[in-house]
Amino acid sequence: MEIVTDAQRTARPHHLFWPWFAANVSVFGMSYGSYLLGFGISFWQASIVAVVGIVVSFALCGLVAIAGKRGSAPTMVLSRAAFGVDGQKLPGIASWLTSIGWETSLTITAVLATATVFEALGWATGTLVSVLATLAIAGLVVTASVLGYHTIMRLQSVLTWLTGLCTVVFMLMTIPHIHWDAVAAQPAGSAQQMLGALTMVMTGMGLGWINIAADWSRYQRRSTSDGAIVAWNVIGGSVAPVVLVVFGLLLAGSDPELAAGIESDPLGALVTLLPLWALIPFWIVAVLTLVSGAVLGIYSSGLTLLSLGIRIPRPAAAAVDGLILTAGTIWVVFFAQDFVGPFQSFLITLGVPIASWAGILIADILTRRRDYDEAALFDRRGRYGSVDWTSVTTMVIASVLGWGLVVNGYADDAPWNNWQGYLLGALGGKDGTWAYSSLGVLAALVLSFAVTLITRHPTIRRQEKQ
């Protein structure tokens, strides 16, 4: 969590392209095509939803990244300006759980793909393969994250070219699997179904990364324009997912069996479209892209753990997260019967408080006119105080309202979330038209943004005058 000195601020805006592109160029992005069609919408509706959801969500990431340029600390430390030094622990816990969940899900996907490819090649299968794959992939993720920012940036720049090229080749080789007649025959859905799909894309794309967006921009020069920070976040994060999701829509819409296979093993189902001779190189690259995303997550989740007051070295924090990641992967791979159900339920549940936090922080960032007082971010007696009760109360109320407006669509696979949706009675109940629109995520984001913009303006101006 050390403050980045001005001498270390040597990055340029276009450098932000590398980590965001490398983390989102994975073939895994194509699986979202199946997820979107699962909402009962057409190809054209899903394409519109994908473009809008991806671009808007990464634009929100870009707005949060502005805080990194104005300060020199990780995202969750900079957030103390809005919540207070101690009050920040509330969104910090939600952020840590989100990062842990994402990096675990990426590792799970890599392990499942490994088992699928080995089985397709007639190699060793069973428990031993999954255990070894879990340990190897988790070890690679933790090792890369421990090495720090500069190593990760070099790694991401190499992976960007490697994975980008291989993804293009994958798409060219799987074009024969696309059947436009079947894709065009997909029936159109309602506005509520499109809204549900939009929320899923936003939480799975940009909002899934928003709690770490400033971790990479804090190495930017202070003179860099806010517009350049936002633009390169959007470009780096959006270019690959937009293409991949639309291509995934074409594949999933052409083959119902493929769409069903993605439900249990997203990457494995896609990779097996290739001829046997191509499985190994594409499996290696696909796993590396998933590792790339997990590395970003575990690096930042380690920083978030430290921001909660855990006094251990950052490598030790990454190791703690690595153990949790490994345990979570083992549980899903060996004991859970489904992957997509718990994953989607997890996205929506944590997506509500994270959306609320993002709304608060974005309003705070847009209201401020000066750089952060970096010393005060670590001093509860400083200008940001111990707890900003306006922000804390806003997040709690918005989250409670948001959870009441979402429903667990995977009741059998994630029964622990069946308590949600308690406010949907006024909108037709849990089986009504709006039930699966995930309205609560967007409601938490917009409500928190509006309340903060109105109520905290005097507080922010007072802070900046101290």
Side-chain angles (χ1 to χ4, degrees):
M1 294 197 303
E2 293 87 353
I3 295 295
V4 177
T5 65
D6 286 344
Q8 294 173 306
R9 286 172 164 263
T10 58
R12 296 184 179 275
H14 69 270
H15 292 158
L16 292 170
F17 176 84
W18 304 115
W20 290 119
F21 186 88
N24 291 282
V25 73
S26 170
V27 177
F28 177 59
M30 296 182 190
S31 63
Y32 276 81
S34 175
Y35 303 158
L36 287 175
L37 294 179
F39 280 86
I41 58 180
S42 70
F43 167 78
W44 294 112
Q45 288 176 317
S47 297
I48 293 171
V49 162
V51 173
V52 173
I54 292 169
V55 172
V56 170
S57 62
F58 277 107
L60 295 177
C61 272
L63 292 175
V64 170
I66 292 173
K69 188 209 71 169
R70 293 180 181 176
S72 303
T75 312
M76 285 297 144
V77 174
L78 296 168
S79 181
R80 291 173 177 176
F83 285 85
V85 175
D86 295 313
Q88 169 57 27
K89 292 180 181 179
L90 174 65
I93 292 172
S95 172
W96 182 70
L97 291 173
T98 300
S99 294
I100 285 290
W102 265 109
E103 64 207 33
T104 301
S105 68
L106 292 172
T107 304
I108 290 167
T109 305
V111 171
L112 292 174
T114 299
T116 300
V117 170
F118 276 38
E119 183 177 357
L121 291 171
W123 292 359
T125 59
T127 302
L128 180 61
V129 171
S130 297
V131 169
L132 292 177
T134 299
L135 295 177
I137 293 168
L140 185 58
V141 170
V142 174
T143 300
S145 65
V146 165
L147 294 176
Y149 169 82
H150 296 289
T151 300
I152 292 173
M153 291 296 283
R154 286 195 293 269
L155 174 67
Q156 301 292 56
S157 64
V158 172
L159 286 178
T160 294
W161 292 106
L162 178 63
T163 57
L165 175 61
C166 289
T167 300
V168 170
V169 175
F170 175 91
M171 294 170 67
L172 292 174
M173 294 180 69
T174 54
I175 286 177
H177 293 272
I178 295 175
H179 305 289
W180 176 247
D181 291 343
V183 174
Q186 296 285 335
S190 65
Q192 292 88 342
Q193 289 170 306
M194 288 186 68
L195 182 61
L198 175 67
T199 305
M200 189 274 291
V201 170
M202 291 183 66
T203 54
M205 293 294 177
L207 290 182
W209 297 104
I210 199 167
N211 58 313
I212 70 171
D215 293 1
W216 310 100
S217 56
R218 61 192 173 125
Y219 288 88
Q220 294 287 317
R221 300 178 182 183
R222 293 185 188 274
S223 59
T224 303
S225 72
D226 293 347
I229 296 290
V230 175
W232 281 105
N233 270 267
V234 173
I235 295 170
S238 300
V239 170
V242 165
V243 175
L244 291 171
V245 174
V246 172
F247 192 80
L249 287 169
L250 293 171
L251 288 176
S254 301
D255 186 352
E257 291 187 7
L258 173 64
I262 289 173
E263 293 289 313
S264 58
D265 181 5
L267 192 58
L270 289 166
V271 171
T272 51
L273 293 176
L274 299 170
L276 287 179
W277 63 264
L279 286 184
I280 291 298
F282 279 93
W283 161 69
I284 293 173
V285 172
V287 168
L288 286 177
T289 59
L290 294 170
V291 168
S292 172
V295 166
L296 292 188
I298 201 168
Y299 172 82
S300 292
S301 66
L303 293 175
T304 301
L305 191 62
L306 297 179
S307 75
L308 294 174
I310 307 298
R311 297 185 177 276
I312 56 176
R314 187 186 64 79
V320 170
D321 289 351
L323 290 174
I324 297 173
L325 174 153
T326 304
T329 302
I330 289 174
W331 181 79
V332 171
V333 171
F334 295 103
F335 300 105
Q337 298 300 312
D338 184 40
F339 170 73
V340 173
F343 177 60
Q344 295 273 38
S345 189
F346 153 78
L347 279 182
I348 297 300
T349 302
L350 283 180
V352 170
I354 289 297
S356 174
W357 166 82
I360 293 169
L361 187 60
I362 290 171
D364 184 273
I365 291 169
L366 294 179
T367 304
R368 293 187 184 275
R369 296 293 178 265
R370 298 183 180 179
D371 288 348
Y372 294 100
D373 179 348
E374 292 164 352
L377 293 170
F378 298 88
D379 183 4
R380 59 178 54 87
R381 295 171 297 180
R383 69 178 67 192
Y384 304 126
S386 175
V387 179
D388 188 303
W389 289 106
T390 300
S391 293
V392 169
T393 302
T394 300
M395 181 174 175
V396 170
I397 293 176
S399 297
V400 171
L401 292 174
W403 281 325
L405 294 173
V406 298
V407 64
N408 180 21
Y410 301 88
D412 294 334
D413 302 317
W416 58 85
N417 281 338
N418 290 343
W419 52 272
Q420 296 170 342
Y422 43 79
L423 297 177
L424 286 170
L427 297 174
K430 291 187 177 183
D431 296 321
T433 306
W434 287 99
Y436 295 97
S437 66
S438 301
L439 186 63
V441 175
L442 296 181
L445 174 68
V446 174
L447 176 63
S448 298
F449 176 83
V451 170
T452 301
L453 205 61
I454 295 170
T455 62
R456 293 198 69 250
H457 189 276
T459 301
I460 294 172
R461 289 292 171 263
R462 186 171 60 253
Q463 289 175 350
E464 292 185 325
K465 290 179 181 179
Q466 291 179 2

